[in-house]
Amino acid sequence: MPLGTWFKAGTSAAALVLAMAGAATAAPAPAHAPAGESSAARVAAVTLRYDDSRAGGWEAAIAAGIASWNANVSNVHLVEAAPGTAAEIVIVATTGWPQATLGPVRPGRQVRVELGSQAVDQGYDKTRIAAHELGHSLGLPDTKPGPCSQLMSGSSAGAACTNATPNATERSRVQSAYASGIAALAPADGRILIDAP
C-alpha cells in the first residue's frame, strides 16, 4: 500500500477515535434552569441524593425545600435516594434545634441534616427550616442576623418568617460552589451549624 494511503487511513482513524472520545465524555446540560439563566451559563448538574426515611412528620416540608432549591439553582439537583442506596444528604427528625453539616457535599460523600422540633414548637416554619438546613448542605453558612428575604438568616428573621426561597446572593454562591461539576468541588467544611436563636 502506498505511503499516502496509509497516512490518510491513519488520519481518518485518529479523527474517528477523537470524535468518539469527545462524545463519550460530554456531559448533558441540565433539563431545567432557573428563570433568566442563559443556556451558555449552564453546566451539567451535580446530582445529590437525599434520604429522609428517618424524618417522619417533615415529608411535606422537605419536599417543598427540595423543590425550592431545584427551581432556583441549575448546577446541582437534589433527588430522593432509592430505598437501600447511599445518599449524600441524610435527613433525620430530632427533638432539638435544627442543625446541619456545612457543605458543599460532593457525590459519594455524606452530610447530615437534623430537623429539630424545638424550632417548630417555638413557631418557626417547617418548610423554611428544611430549605435553610439544605442550604448548609450545599455550602451556605448562616447570615445572622438577617432579614426574612435571606433564607440563610434562619431563626434571626423571626418565627413569623416563612420565606423558603434562596435570594440572588445565596443562589449565586451555590451555583459557584457547583459550577465546574464534580471535579472542582471543595470538600465539605464538616462543621455542624446549630440554628438556635
Side-chain angles (χ1 to χ4, degrees):
M1 185 182 289
L3 181 60
T5 303
W6 278 104
F7 184 70
K8 284 181 185 177
T11 303
S12 296
L16 180 61
V17 168
L18 288 173
M20 290 175 67
T25 58
H32 70 285
E37 183 179 348
S38 71
S39 60
R42 289 185 233 155
V43 298
V46 172
T47 299
L48 298 174
R49 295 159 298 180
Y50 68 91
D51 174 4
D52 64 353
S53 62
R54 294 183 290 155
W58 287 84
E59 295 87 354
I62 293 167
I66 295 288
S68 178
W69 279 109
N70 284 341
N72 283 285
V73 295
S74 61
N75 289 348
V76 63
H77 187 70
L78 306 173
V79 298
E80 188 169 7
T85 62
E88 285 81 15
I89 304 171
V90 175
I91 307 171
V92 298
T94 68
T95 58
W97 276 97
Q99 56 186 288
T101 310
L102 180 59
V105 63
R106 296 186 208 195
R109 302 283 175 89
Q110 195 171 82
V111 294
R112 182 176 169 98
V113 168
E114 295 185 9
L115 300 175
S117 62
Q118 193 169 353
V120 177
D121 294 344
Q122 293 196 17
Y124 290 94
D125 181 71
K126 279 183 147 182
T127 300
R128 178 172 167 84
I129 293 168
H132 174 92
E133 299 307 325
L134 288 165
H136 288 320
S137 297
L138 298 176
L140 298 177
D142 287 314
T143 55
K144 295 179 180 181
C148 183
S149 60
Q150 292 177 347
L151 176 60
M152 301 314 293
S153 67
S155 61
S156 71
C161 178
T162 60
N163 172 41
T165 304
N167 68 17
T169 301
E170 293 162 336
R171 292 191 303 268
S172 176
R173 289 186 70 184
V174 170
Q175 288 288 100
S176 293
Y178 292 92
S180 299
I182 297 169
L185 291 177
D189 183 287
R191 287 183 290 158
I192 304 296
L193 302 178
I194 300 173
D195 289 303

